[in-house]
Amino acid sequence: MNGVNLIPASRRELAARRSRIRAWAVILAGVAILSAPAAAAFRAMWYLDSGPARLAIAAAQTETQDSGARLLKVRGETAKLNQAEMASRMVGEHPDWSLLLQAINLVRGDSVALESFDLRFTPPVAAAAAAPATSPTAGTEAKPTVAAVSERYTVNMRGIATDLSRVMTFVGRLEGLGVMERVAMKQSRAENNRGVVVTGFDVECTLADRLVAPTPKDTATAEVPAPGDRP
Amino acid sequence: MIGRASGYSAIGLDVGSRCIKAVQFARSRKGLNISAIACIERSGKGERGTLLAAEAGSLREVFARQGFRGRAVVLAGAPGRMLSGVMELPPRSSGAPIDQIARMELARANGCPPDSLELSWWELPAGKRAQDGTHVFAVGLRHADAHEAIDGLEAAGMEVRALDSGTLGISRLCALLSTSPATPVTGLLDIGWSGTSVAVLLGTTLVYQRLLPEMGMSHLHSRLVSELLIDAEAAEFVIRRVGVSNELSEEQRNWELLEDARSVVADHADSISAELKASLSYATRRHDATGAASVLASGGGASVPGLLDRVQRASEERIRAIRPADIAASPKDPLAATLAMDPRLACAAGLALEPTAALQLEAATA
């Protein structure tokens, strides 16, 4: 024995711990210094290697943008086609009025002569959602709470008859056709036509409401009617 | 420790009563060199082995100015506070906890709790009366004293690597000088200002140590002042320049108090001789050592003119002073070279030789 160390053990332990901490700090700093170039090299390699991937991503993004633009264009065209279809349907599905005229002519008989025939079209309006649609001519009760779009035609006829009873018969026959929702005798009067006293009359007929498919802008407020609701 | 990448040893620091001595070695291809050496006069009165706060604070700056490298220090504990003793413990074969028993014994002998001191011990060579148990030499220091010695230095930014015994430091220096295996008994005589330490080495093992406070140079100084009725500076001059040497200048020969002064110094030397002789005799008989003993002297007292010759004649032992320059090449600076020849710095030089380094050097020398 040629030397002793009488530094208290607790103090030596503390010094050893400090020494270990310093050593680890140096080691960690060294590792950080050594790994920094490696990390930089790895990053550089990653950046270089990712060139094709970046190009693919850019191409995909461009393609996505182009697809979006094409989709918008197609949507616009679709909207235009829808409008054209609606117009075409409105024109194409127009009633054949000759059949109505023939029917009226048949029920007119020989005692009634028509002087004027006025057919008016009322544009489609959204029917009240809660209002029950009545369809006397169809003879069935409409389903309630059907939100639909209906169009209406009104026929105003003016004419003369030999007497009032013939007019009433004509009105009754019109109702009997089954295509009129409502037939109203608006006015009757006595007229002198070429020295002969006749009965003049004005009759207003409302054709049954025809439900049509709602346009896209109406779908927010109205539902498409059931097939049975159509006249 | 020498042999590290830096090539410089820790700074051996011996805090004396009047001077702070420091030595640092460096290893080169040619061998061991004294890279830095310093002896700093203490401004205030301090205890040996204990630095004042102001001294510790300025020490690092002084070291840097004097060319010391690093901040690692090996410090000697204050001799007056070191606890030591020879104990007879149960034999190792009994399986008894010798370390615990040694601690308890040393604590009991010095009246302190066992867990309040740091202890180190080593086995002594088996002597005539050591057949029944294990004889150990224990050295200890109270934790409070250790903290007091270390705190100031660490606050100044120094790193206290070891707190050693000054005597063991000198023994490391002696181990490098003991080239003759025929002289296994070595006496160590450290004549300091505040006291004289007598120790005996068997080979390289410290087997005996005794501190003699009344035999310090301060005691001689006080005797000179009180018995010759001279002032302190004159007493200092007698110790440094006159001593008991016959080689005196004409002016010194004509001094009327010369013989009285020499008589006081000779009496002091004879007292030291008697203690040395008794210690050597006791140690050799106890440990059944044979062969002639040699004595190595260090400390300021070893520089007193003629004192060692007087001790040698009185004790009939071969005695010589030990200096840092005896084991390492001196620095080129004249002042540092002078310090390297000063026996006062032997303890600091020994402390700078940490145990591992000293053993390596010893093996290399052999």
Side-chain angles (χ1 to χ4, degrees):
Chain A
M1 176 65 72
N2 63 350
V4 295
N5 191 356
L6 299 177
I7 294 175
S10 58
R11 197 159 189 145
R12 273 184 288 179
E13 198 174 317
L14 190 65
R17 194 177 303 152
R18 282 186 197 145
S19 177
R20 281 198 299 272
I21 290 171
R22 277 198 298 270
W24 275 109
V26 170
I27 289 169
L28 290 175
V31 168
I33 290 169
L34 289 176
S35 60
F42 180 75
R43 184 169 176 77
M45 287 173 64
W46 172 262
Y47 183 77
L48 291 174
D49 287 343
S50 65
R54 286 172 181 274
L55 289 174
I57 291 170
Q61 286 176 341
T62 307
E63 192 175 348
T64 305
Q65 289 176 351
D66 292 345
S67 299
R70 281 198 300 271
L71 184 62
L72 286 175
K73 189 178 177 182
V74 168
R75 279 180 180 168
E77 289 175 355
T78 305
K80 285 180 182 176
L81 289 174
N82 284 336
Q83 288 180 353
E85 184 198 3
M86 289 290 292
S88 134
R89 185 178 293 172
M90 286 179 69
V91 174
E93 294 181 356
H94 202 72
D96 186 358
W97 296 116
S98 63
L99 297 175
L100 180 64
L101 289 173
Q102 286 179 6
I104 292 173
N105 190 46
L106 284 174
V107 300
R108 177 178 60 86
D110 297 334
S111 304
V112 175
L114 295 176
E115 293 178 336
S116 69
F117 183 91
D118 181 32
L119 175 67
R120 290 186 184 278
F121 171 70
T122 303
V125 293
T134 56
S135 178
T137 54
T140 56
E141 289 185 4
K143 291 180 180 178
T145 66
V146 175
V149 176
S150 62
E151 57 188 14
R152 173 176 296 184
Y153 292 91
T154 305
V155 178
N156 287 304
M157 290 181 287
R158 186 186 181 98
I160 55 174
T162 54
D163 53 43
L164 183 60
S165 62
R166 301 290 182 186
V167 175
M168 297 311 291
T169 302
F170 175 59
V171 169
R173 286 179 178 173
L174 285 174
E175 287 180 343
L177 284 175
V179 297
M180 305 295 185
E181 181 182 345
R182 185 171 60 87
V183 178
M185 179 78 175
K186 301 289 284 186
Q187 190 180 11
S188 66
R189 58 194 176 275
E191 289 184 7
N192 188 348
N193 190 355
R194 299 177 189 173
V196 179
V197 177
V198 294
T199 301
F201 63 90
D202 292 330
V203 176
E204 184 184 79
C205 305
T206 302
L207 271 67
D209 287 344
R210 190 179 73 154
L211 294 176
V212 296
T215 58
K217 67 179 181 180
D218 296 327
T219 53
T221 55
E223 295 177 2
V224 178
D229 293 335
R230 297 180 70 85
Chain B
M1 182 186 297
I2 298 174
R4 293 192 176 189
S6 65
Y8 291 91
S9 71
I11 301 169
L13 187 62
D14 176 23
V15 181
S17 306
R18 306 179 79 192
C19 300
I20 299 169
K21 285 88 71 175
V23 176
Q24 187 174 34
F25 292 107
R27 182 189 282 279
S28 69
R29 290 182 179 177
K30 293 179 181 177
L32 202 60
N33 299 316
I34 299 171
S35 64
I37 188 166
C39 183
I40 307 156
E41 296 283 338
R42 298 184 76 171
S43 54
K45 288 186 176 179
E47 184 188 354
R48 186 175 184 194
T50 306
L51 280 170
L52 302 176
E55 291 173 331
S58 62
L59 207 53
R60 192 174 183 189
E61 187 184 345
V62 174
F63 280 170
R65 211 166 45 234
Q66 299 278 351
F68 288 89
R69 302 291 186 91
R71 57 193 191 94
V73 166
V74 176
L75 182 66
R81 302 191 187 189
M82 296 288 283
L83 316 174
S84 64
V86 177
M87 303 169 191
E88 184 175 351
L89 303 177
R92 276 187 180 277
S93 57
S94 67
I98 295 179
D99 187 68
Q100 294 293 327
I101 297 172
R103 178 179 292 275
M104 296 292 289
E105 280 293 309
L106 193 67
R108 185 188 56 77
N110 292 278
C112 61
D115 57 351
S116 70
L117 57 89
E118 201 66 27
L119 176 80
S120 186
W121 57 269
W122 56 92
E123 280 189 56
L124 297 178
K128 281 181 180 176
R129 292 178 294 173
Q131 302 301 322
D132 298 334
T134 303
H135 285 254
V136 302
F137 194 108
V139 177
L141 186 65
R142 290 183 181 88
H143 287 166
D145 294 334
H147 288 310
E148 185 184 346
I150 295 168
D151 283 344
L153 285 168
E154 289 199 339
M158 308 297 288
E159 177 202 343
V160 179
R161 187 174 290 165
L163 186 52
D164 206 342
S165 158
T167 305
L168 287 174
I170 296 172
S171 76
R172 292 199 287 271
L173 208 61
C174 294
L176 297 176
L177 294 172
S178 300
T179 54
S180 171
T183 56
V185 181
T186 306
L188 300 180
L189 188 62
D190 184 25
I191 309 169
W193 180 258
S194 60
T196 293
S197 169
V198 180
V200 178
L201 299 177
L202 239 59
T204 57
T205 305
L206 180 67
V207 298
Y208 177 84
Q209 183 183 11
R210 188 177 174 200
L211 182 64
L212 307 166
E214 70 280 5
M215 301 221 172
M217 299 309 292
S218 62
H219 188 73
L220 174 60
H221 186 269
S222 301
R223 278 187 65 189
L224 288 169
V225 169
S226 61
E227 292 181 17
L228 303 182
L229 300 177
I230 57 176
D231 58 14
E233 288 185 3
E236 184 83 23
F237 180 81
V238 169
I239 291 171
R240 285 183 180 274
R241 301 294 181 189
V242 179
V244 286
S245 174
N246 294 320
E247 297 175 1
L248 299 173
S249 65
E250 193 64 29
E251 186 183 357
Q252 289 170 342
R253 289 180 193 280
N254 295 331
W255 186 35
E256 57 182 7
L257 296 176
L258 176 64
E259 289 306 319
D260 295 335
R262 286 165 60 98
S263 172
V264 172
V265 176
D267 185 50
H268 189 78
D270 292 344
S271 301
I272 293 174
S273 301
E275 291 293 341
L276 176 64
K277 194 172 181 178
S279 299
L280 283 171
S281 174
Y282 170 78
T284 50
R285 275 189 288 109
R286 180 181 174 85
H287 296 286
D288 198 19
T290 56
S294 64
V295 178
L296 298 172
S298 62
S303 303
V304 175
L307 189 136
L308 290 186
D309 293 335
R310 177 87 183 194
V311 171
Q312 183 170 294
R313 281 198 301 274
S315 63
E316 299 173 347
E317 304 288 353
R318 290 177 294 135
I319 185 166
R320 56 167 287 202
I322 184 171
R323 310 171 179 89
D326 293 337
I327 62 155
S330 296
K332 293 177 181 176
D333 178 57
L335 181 61
T338 305
L339 287 173
M341 296 297 292
D342 193 334
R344 285 184 299 170
L345 285 103
C347 180
L351 291 169
L353 295 168
E354 287 179 80
T356 314
L359 289 173
Q360 287 172 353
L361 285 170
E362 189 179 357
T365 306

